[in-house]
């Protein structure tokens, strides 16, 4: 079997179907499940499996009869990349690890430099993939709504990509009902994290999104009797003077300690490991290079992702958003190629609970937020 550790190929046509596993972290009800050890404990304690489509940042592999089903968390923060060509296929949570695997087997790989030109676009839209297509024509990022069904076959395994059967019970419910359910679900989760031994840092910018997170932390602290000042390091960037002034006012009002100095008890990663982690997680997918040398795990809370529910990008529409950036491409053909892929993918994603959303919001959710939000630096 293929080694299922993070940054590896999870399954391929020249291997048998993968074993049951959990890569990353998942929430199920109030419970936080960390990796394979957490999955095993949770399964024994609660007789429940972790399936694709929940909150967190994970890849879940489950067995359904003779088929292994592989999928991600609901938002796709833990990504799946698929290679297909000439009857060969492979899936991985890392674009570069997948490319390395394919290269070692001398399977077909065709560069598509047109897709790389999107990184020259000014603004945050050019900081990551703008469609499911990558700089290798045979490799795509799977939408978070897709799952891989893998079954053993002679000499390897067979693959079928399907739409996940989940709409998270959103249909027909009022906004008030959904908001009440959301708060009821997330307060116990925040309480779980507060009660854990994990170090916690929470960004406080003064914006509506970070204030929402702060409100949840304060309420969870009240419900559990936990002193949030003792458990949470509240941080605000000193270089953002206006944000810092608002954060300081909020901190005074609620008696919070802001920007306290902490020592890195876990030590620092070696330089080679820092670069390896960056290459595994972000190379070819998310273009700004942020190197994180911290070895200790830390729960990072913040308002990232709030923009997924409103128009973050300026302008009257997704097509126009690309048109005004055509000048950053080397040639018109490359621009049209990238734009066509981006608009087509946004349209294909605007289904189910997202079918009535502006495609600008849909695109932001599935590319900018998915590839940039929910992580500090380059770490998943």
């Amino acid at each position: 079997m293929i080694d299922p550790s993070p940054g590896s190929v999870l399954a391929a046509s020249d291997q048998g179907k993968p074993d049951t596993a959990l890569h990353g972290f998942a929430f199920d009800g109030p419970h936080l499940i960390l990796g394979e050890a957490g999955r095993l404990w949770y399964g024994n304690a609660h007789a429940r499996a972790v399936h694709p489509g929940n909150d967190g940042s994970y890849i879940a592999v489950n067995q359904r009869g003779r088929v292994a089903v592989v999928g991600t968390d609901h938002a796709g923060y833990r990504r799946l990349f698929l290679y297909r060509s000439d009857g060969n296929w492979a899936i991985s949570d890392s674009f570069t690890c997948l490319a390395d695997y394919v290269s070692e087997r001398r399977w077909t790989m065709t560069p598509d430099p047109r897709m790389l030109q999107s990184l020259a676009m000014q603004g945050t839209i050019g900081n990551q993939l703008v469609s499911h297509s990558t700089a290798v024509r045979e490799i795509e990022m799977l939408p978070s709504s897709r799952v891989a069904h893998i079954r053993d076959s002679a000499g390897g395994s067979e693959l079928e990509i399907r739409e996940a059967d989940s709409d998270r019970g959103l249909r027909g419910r009022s906004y008030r009902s959904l908001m009440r359910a959301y708060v009821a679900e997330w307060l116990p989760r925040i309480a779980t994290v507060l009660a854990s031994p994990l170090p916690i840092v929470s960004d406080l910018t003064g914006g509506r999104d970070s204030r929402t997170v702060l409100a949840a932390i304060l309420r969870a602290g009240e419900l559990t009797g936990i002193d949030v000042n003792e458990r949470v390091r509240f941080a605000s960037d000193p270089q953002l003077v206006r944000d810092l002034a608002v954060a300081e006012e909020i901190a005074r009002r609620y008696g919070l300690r802001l920007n306290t100095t902490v020592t890195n008890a876990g030590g620092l990663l070696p330089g080679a490991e820092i670069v390896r982690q960056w290459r595994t997680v972000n190379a070819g997918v998310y273009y700004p290079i942020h190197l994180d040398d911290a070895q200790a795990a830390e729960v990072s809370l913040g308002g990232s992702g709030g923009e997924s529910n409103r128009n973050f990008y300026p302008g009257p529409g997704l097509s126009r958003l690309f048109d005004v950036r055509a000048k950053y491409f080397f040639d018109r053909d490359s621009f049209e190629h990238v734009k066509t892929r981006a608009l087509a993918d946004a349209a294909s994603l605007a289904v189910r609970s997202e079918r009535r959303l502006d495609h600008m919001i849909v695109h932001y959710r599935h590319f900018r937020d998915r590839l940039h939000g929910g992580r500090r630096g380059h770490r998943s």
Side-chain angles (χ1 to χ4, degrees), residues 9 31 36 42 58 63 73-75 121 136 172 178 241 255 264 277 300 317 333 349 355 372:
V9 170
H31 305 287
E36 182 62 5
Y42 189 64
Y58 67 90
Q63 308 301 317
D73 56 276
H74 173 71
M121 289 194 299
V136 176
L178 290 169
V241 179
N264 187 352
Q277 287 192 15
S300 178
D333 174 70
L349 292 165
R355 66 188 182 280
H372 165 79

Side-chain angles (χ1 to χ4, degrees), residues 39 51 109 117 122 133-134 151 183 198 209 252 276 278-279 343:
R39 181 193 70 82
H51 295 286
M109 276 202 300
Q117 290 189 41
Q122 191 177 60
S133 302
T134 71
R151 65 173 66 242
V183 172
L198 295 168
D209 301 318
R252 284 192 297 269
R276 188 199 70 80
W278 164 79
R279 182 180 184 274
L343 267 59

Side-chain angles (χ1 to χ4, degrees), residues 100-283:
D100 289 343
Y101 187 88
V102 170
S103 177
E104 289 170 2
R105 281 150 183 76
R106 299 185 180 278
W107 293 348
T108 300
M109 276 202 300
T110 312
D112 190 353
R114 296 173 297 180
M115 298 308 302
L116 281 177
Q117 290 189 41
S118 65
L119 67 85
M121 289 194 299
Q122 191 177 60
T124 54
I125 192 170
N127 284 350
Q128 59 282 312
L129 295 179
V130 295
S131 72
H132 296 126
S133 302
T134 71
V136 176
R137 292 180 181 176
E138 294 82 9
I139 296 178
E140 63 179 314
M141 181 175 70
L142 284 179
S144 58
S145 61
R146 304 263 175 90
V147 293
H149 285 232
I150 303 166
R151 65 173 66 242
D152 286 329
S153 65
S157 55
E158 298 175 349
L159 171 73
E160 181 183 2
I161 302 298
R162 297 184 182 181
E163 284 289 326
D165 184 21
S166 172
D167 212 4
R168 311 191 84 194
L170 300 179
R171 292 180 180 176
R173 299 178 64 181
S174 69
Y175 177 84
R176 178 186 292 271
S177 170
L178 290 169
M179 183 58 71
R180 187 181 298 276
Y182 184 85
V183 172
E185 183 174 57
W186 272 99
L187 279 179
R189 292 175 175 180
I190 298 295
T192 296
V193 175
L194 287 176
S196 78
L198 295 168
I200 307 169
V201 59
S202 182
D203 293 334
L204 184 57
T205 67
R208 73 183 85 172
D209 301 318
S210 70
R211 293 201 311 271
T212 300
V213 174
L214 174 62
I217 293 172
L218 293 175
R219 182 57 178 156
E222 292 174 357
L223 294 173
T224 58
I226 294 173
D227 184 350
V228 297
N229 263 322
E230 297 299 322
R231 284 291 295 121
V232 183
R233 179 167 61 88
F234 294 99
S236 187
D237 190 342
Q239 296 182 347
L240 302 177
V241 179
R242 295 178 61 185
D243 284 359
L244 180 62
V246 177
E248 287 176 336
E249 182 180 346
I250 293 172
R252 284 192 297 269
R253 178 169 182 175
Y254 292 98
L256 305 175
R257 293 193 291 269
L258 190 64
N259 289 340
T260 55
T261 302
V262 295
T263 57
N264 187 352
L268 301 178
L269 291 170
E273 177 61 16
I274 295 171
V275 174
R276 188 199 70 80
Q277 287 192 15
W278 164 79
R279 182 180 184 274
T280 298
V281 176
N282 281 340

Side-chain angles (χ1 to χ4, degrees), residues 77 79 269-283 286-295 371-380:
Y77 287 133
R79 314 123 182 195
L269 291 170
E273 177 61 16
I274 295 171
V275 174
R276 188 199 70 80
Q277 287 192 15
W278 164 79
R279 182 180 184 274
T280 298
V281 176
N282 281 340
Y286 180 72
Y287 306 130
I289 299 176
H290 303 292
L291 300 178
D292 191 343
D293 59 6
Q295 186 164 345
L371 300 177
H372 165 79
R375 55 182 51 82
R376 300 178 66 203
H378 71 278
R379 305 181 76 182
S380 295

Side-chain angles (χ1 to χ4, degrees), residues 293-309:
D293 59 6
Q295 186 164 345
E298 185 176 55
V299 176
S300 178
L301 305 175
S304 178
E307 296 93 347
S308 292
N309 300 299

